[in-house]
Amino acid sequence: VQLQASGGGLVQPGGSLRLSCAVSGRTFSTSTLAWFRQTPGKERDFVAALRGSSGAGFYADSVKGRFTISRTNAENTVYLQMNSLKPEDTAVYYCAAGREITVVGASYPYWGQGTLVTVSS
């Protein structure tokens, strides 16, 4: 399974950005798609996850109400719409795939390469 994340960049506080992650390969084992983020010197933190194409997203408290996770009908691309961005959202964002929905990064066997999001004026 391969994951390719894209869409990061520089945005001003209060702005929006949409991340994408294309999943290819044995997608039957990737029923849950998730986003994590990491800043230098810190552990990778859970951001959001979605199981299947019609279920509700599951979010970290820090992004609830501002970020939305979604996936295509073909279930091979996952998006993270980020609104009302704050400087503390600055991080490298990683997409991940696995079977079960969980906030534990080690439970996801497949990871993308990461895309940098910088929120700054």
Side-chain angles (χ1 to χ4, degrees):
V1 177
Q2 294 82 42
L3 290 82
Q4 181 72 38
S6 61
L10 174 64
V11 62
Q12 293 186 343
S16 298
L17 208 59
R18 189 177 81 157
L19 305 182
S20 301
C21 178
V23 183
S24 60
R26 301 174 64 186
T27 56
F28 70 87
S29 62
T30 58
S31 56
T32 296
L33 296 178
W35 289 95
F36 286 73
R37 65 187 181 185
Q38 188 173 27
T39 55
K42 295 188 177 181
E43 294 186 353
R44 198 169 293 185
D45 292 329
F46 172 81
V47 175
L50 182 64
R51 184 183 176 104
S53 60
S54 59
F58 181 65
Y59 300 92
D61 288 343
S62 59
V63 306
K64 201 172 294 183
R66 300 187 298 121
F67 290 12
T68 303
I69 187 172
S70 61
R71 61 197 294 176
T72 61
N73 291 336
E75 302 188 1
N76 62 352
T77 303
V78 62
Y79 303 98
L80 185 68
Q81 178 66 42
M82 305 185 294
N83 299 328
S84 302
L85 282 162
K86 306 175 181 180
E88 51 263 43
D89 293 318
T90 295
V92 176
Y93 284 71
Y94 297 88
C95 54
R99 289 189 178 274
E100 301 297 330
I101 193 166
T102 171
V103 301
V104 178
S107 298
Y108 293 88
Y110 307 108
W111 290 84
Q113 84 286 4
T115 184
L116 176 62
V117 173
T118 303
V119 184
S120 175
S121 55

